[in-house]
């Protein structure tokens, strides 16, 4: 397979036609397809750009293609439509060699179709190159949100939601930034290493490493692939974790000697952070309902030299017989804030995901908030910006439980809302969108 064929295979995996479909993310598909190929490093990077770009910009690509394919009596075969999207992505968003790109995509259309479909691909791409259509213009759409949705290739409901959250002035910058590569970051284990030592490791290998201005013990690094490959040899001294994902524990601020409860621990990035803050004094209890994730969590904590009580089960149904000083609820959510990191996510999520998941979030908080000591701290975090699962959940918690808003560290002021919670705009600064609230149990 060459780079364009690998990219086509990823598109077919992410947008399958045959049922039952395999639920595979773009990254999982790309890793699998590249592993089976013999592509050079340069061609791997090209295949990644083509696949991710064509997935992210799908709505915009279909808008470009509509004048050339919309009048057909029969819809194009799905694979041929994906080949056309690859071609238009190259022509509209990269510095493609027009002749070579067209020839290769026509050959792909012969391989996955027949001479007739190859002729359609040839005709459409040559017409597109002849016309050289410009980008979407405001006057071509019924309203501003439709225009921005096509220009930046997001569902219109996402544009409306982000406009409501962040305002007219920032909406276009957020949409634009969410299509750029996310900032890679790592968090360190202070029991094993230092920021300076890990930063030097990256710099020695030719990339940048800068301390986060928000999350303590986090480094922003310039090479995501180097971070992922280096994590395997770091043996728990550091791990890949986005800057926004590191903020909830930073805001929770566990102290040596305390009892910490980490709920929905997943693979354990935040549990590792909390254990590092305890410095071997105190206790960490983790709850994770997925058996495989729970096993991974246990292994990673052991590798990092930490001990914790790991409970596998549904946190809303467990009968905990003790109380805790600090509680982290990293709740299941719609993931609207991390759409930029997962290119297919914008096409799989639905506008009512937040409302549905808010019920789970309230159940978790309802079951676990009473487990706090009087004066204990609770941090509620979601990688979402949907008010249904952010501000509305916190307001419900304030009205139904004996808690009040707690203090957020001063360096988070640029990210704070008028209510005092932290709301990280997706995309800006390469960050994931996150919502974090800190509350304290009243005596």
């Amino acid at each position: 397979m060459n780079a364009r064929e690998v990219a086509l295979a990823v598109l077919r995996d992410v947008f399958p036609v045959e049922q039952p479909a395999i639920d595979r993310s773009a990254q999982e598909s790309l890793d699998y397809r590249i592993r089976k190929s013999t592509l050079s490093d340069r061609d791997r990077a090209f295949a990644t750009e083509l696949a991710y770009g064509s997935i992210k910009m799908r709505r915009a690509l279909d808008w470009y293609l509509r004048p050339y394919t919309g009048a057909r009596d029969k819809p194009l075969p799905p694979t041929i439509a994906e080949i056309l999207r690859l071609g238009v992505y190259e022509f509209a968003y990269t510095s493609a060699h027009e002749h070579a790109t067209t020839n290769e995509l026509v050959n792909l259309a012969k391989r996955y179709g027949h001479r007739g479909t190859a002729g359609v691909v040839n005709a459409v791409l040559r017409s597109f190159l002849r016309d050289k259509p410009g980008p979407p213009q405001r006057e071509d759409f019924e309203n501003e949100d439709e225009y921005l949705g096509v220009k930046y290739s997001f569902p219109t409901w996402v544009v409306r939601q982000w406009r409501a959250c962040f305002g007219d002035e920032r909406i276009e910058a957020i949409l634009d930034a969410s299509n750029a590569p996310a900032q890679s970051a790592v968090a360190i284990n202070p029991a094993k290493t230092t920021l300076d030592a890990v930063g030097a490791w990256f710099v020695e290998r030719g990339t940048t490493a800068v301390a986060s201005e928000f999350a303590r013990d986090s480094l922003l690094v310039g090479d995501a692939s180097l971070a992922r490959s280096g994590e395997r040899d770091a043996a728990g001294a550091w791990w890949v974790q986005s800057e926004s994902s590191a903020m909830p524990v930073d805001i929770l601020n566990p102290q040596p000697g305390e009892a910490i409860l980490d709920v929905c621990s997943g693979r354990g990035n935040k549990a590792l952070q909390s254990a590092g803050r305890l410095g071997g004094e105190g206790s960490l209890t983790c709850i994770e309902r997925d058996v495989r994730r729970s096993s991974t969590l246990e292994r990673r904590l052991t590798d990092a030299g930490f001990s914790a009580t790991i409970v596998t089960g549904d946190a809303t149904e467990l009968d905990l017989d003790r109380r805790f000083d600090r509680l982290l609820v990293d709740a299941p959510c719609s993931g609207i804030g991390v759409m930029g990191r997962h290119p297919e996510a914008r096409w799989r999520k639905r506008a009512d995901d937040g409302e549905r998941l808010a019920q789970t979030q309230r159940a978790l908080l309802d079951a676990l908030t009473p487990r706090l000591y009087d004066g204990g701290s609770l941090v509620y975090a979601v990688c979402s910006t949907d008010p249904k699962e952010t501000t509305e959940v916190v307001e419900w918690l304030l009205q139904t439980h004996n808690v009040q808003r707690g203090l957020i560290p001063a360096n988070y002021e640029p990210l704070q809302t008028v209510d005092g919670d932290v709301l990280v705009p997706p995309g800006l600064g390469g960050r994931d969108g996150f919502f974090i609230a800190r509350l304290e149990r009243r005596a």
Side-chain angles (χ1 to χ4, degrees):
M1 281 188 172
N2 60 32
R4 290 188 179 87
E5 193 167 7
V6 167
L8 176 62
V10 174
L11 294 184
R12 297 177 75 198
D13 286 343
V14 174
F15 301 104
V17 176
E18 296 178 359
Q19 299 294 332
I22 299 173
D23 186 12
R24 186 177 284 166
S25 71
Q27 183 174 334
E28 289 170 339
S29 173
L30 188 66
D31 290 346
Y32 171 73
R33 297 294 177 181
I34 284 180
R35 200 165 52 243
K36 291 186 66 175
S37 75
T38 57
L39 295 182
S40 65
D41 289 346
R42 181 179 176 182
D43 281 345
R44 289 182 179 197
F46 182 46
T48 302
E49 160 69 20
L50 277 185
Y52 278 22
S54 298
I55 294 170
K56 281 185 178 179
M57 303 310 294
R58 195 173 183 83
R59 185 177 183 185
L61 297 176
D62 285 350
W63 179 84
Y64 275 117
L65 279 166
R66 193 164 298 127
Y68 306 100
T69 61
R72 294 178 59 83
D73 294 334
K74 290 173 60 179
L76 288 168
T79 301
I80 301 303
E82 300 293 6
I83 290 172
L84 287 173
R85 290 186 183 104
L86 285 173
V88 171
Y89 178 78
E90 280 199 61
F91 296 144
Y93 297 102
T94 74
S95 302
H97 187 291
E98 296 178 357
H99 182 70
T101 297
T102 302
N103 281 348
E104 191 163 323
L105 292 173
V106 168
N107 287 333
L108 267 183
K110 289 178 184 174
R111 202 173 312 156
Y112 287 90
H114 48 72
R115 291 178 61 86
T117 52
V120 171
V121 168
N122 185 51
V124 169
L125 293 183
R126 292 190 185 282
S127 295
F128 182 88
L129 288 170
R130 183 190 62 239
D131 295 347
K132 296 191 183 306
Q137 300 296 314
R138 278 183 171 80
E139 56 269 25
D140 296 330
F141 297 89
E142 289 183 2
N143 57 60
E144 180 78 0
D145 290 340
E146 287 288 329
Y147 158 65
L148 292 177
V150 171
K151 180 179 180 182
Y152 295 103
S153 200
F154 279 89
T156 303
W157 66 266
V158 174
V159 180
R160 290 190 183 122
Q161 188 183 108
W162 282 353
R163 183 191 294 281
C165 285
F166 301 104
D168 294 345
E169 292 183 356
R170 289 199 289 179
I171 181 61
E172 196 156 356
I174 286 172
L175 293 167
D176 188 30
S178 294
N179 282 334
Q183 172 68 59
S184 181
V186 301
I188 70 153
N189 175 358
K192 283 197 170 187
T193 189
T194 63
L195 276 181
D196 287 344
V198 178
W201 186 91
F202 280 99
V203 171
E204 286 168 4
R205 285 157 181 78
T207 192
T208 56
V210 179
S212 165
E213 64 180 297
F214 296 106
R216 197 178 89 187
D217 301 333
S218 285
L219 277 175
L220 312 181
V221 298
D223 188 333
S225 60
L226 178 62
R228 286 196 298 273
S229 63
E231 184 187 61
R232 288 193 292 270
D233 299 323
W238 57 264
W239 53 89
V240 176
Q241 184 177 7
S242 79
E243 183 185 28
S244 297
S245 173
M247 291 178 182
V249 171
D250 198 56
I251 290 171
L252 184 67
N253 195 22
Q255 297 296 309
E258 291 184 333
I260 310 299
L261 177 59
D262 180 314
V263 182
C264 307
S265 300
R267 296 179 62 253
N269 280 343
K270 296 179 180 66
L272 289 167
Q273 282 183 278
S274 291
R277 294 290 182 96
L278 289 176
E281 301 176 33
S283 68
L284 172 64
T285 301
C286 301
I287 302 176
E288 169 54 46
R289 67 182 301 172
D290 184 274
V291 174
R292 286 181 298 179
R293 288 179 180 174
S294 187
S295 176
T296 301
L297 166 66
E298 183 173 16
R299 176 182 56 76
R300 295 184 73 203
L301 285 166
T302 301
D303 288 347
F306 297 134
S307 62
T309 300
I310 300 175
V311 181
T312 303
D314 186 335
T316 63
E317 298 176 353
L318 296 174
D319 185 18
L320 297 172
D321 59 356
R322 60 171 301 189
R323 291 195 174 193
F324 298 87
D325 296 293
R326 299 183 196 245
L327 165 61
L328 174 64
V329 179
D330 182 25
C333 69
S334 63
I336 303 298
V338 292
M339 281 184 170
R341 195 173 290 276
H342 305 286
E344 74 283 4
R346 67 188 71 181
W347 311 123
R348 292 184 175 176
K349 298 186 182 302
R350 297 290 177 265
D352 61 355
D353 285 350
E355 187 168 4
R356 175 174 54 81
L357 287 158
Q359 298 177 22
T360 301
Q361 294 149 11
R362 292 181 190 202
L364 284 167
L365 291 166
D366 199 38
L368 297 166
T369 301
R371 294 293 95 205
L372 273 176
Y373 286 121
D374 291 346
S377 298
L378 157 65
V379 162
Y380 169 72
V382 285
C383 54
S384 173
T385 54
D386 185 344
K388 294 289 184 187
E389 50 188 342
T390 58
T391 52
E392 291 184 20
V393 170
V394 172
E395 289 303 320
W396 166 85
L397 184 63
L398 288 166
Q399 293 171 14
T400 57
H401 289 72
N402 189 29
V403 295
Q404 61 189 8
R405 277 197 167 85
L407 290 176
I408 300 285
N411 59 318
Y412 284 89
E413 185 178 355
L415 301 176
Q416 283 189 268
T417 67
V418 292
D419 292 324
D421 303 321
V422 170
L423 181 61
V424 185
L428 299 186
R431 299 187 185 98
D432 296 330
F434 251 75
F435 174 85
I436 306 162
R438 178 179 173 130
L439 301 111
E440 294 177 355
R441 184 178 168 86
R442 287 193 292 251

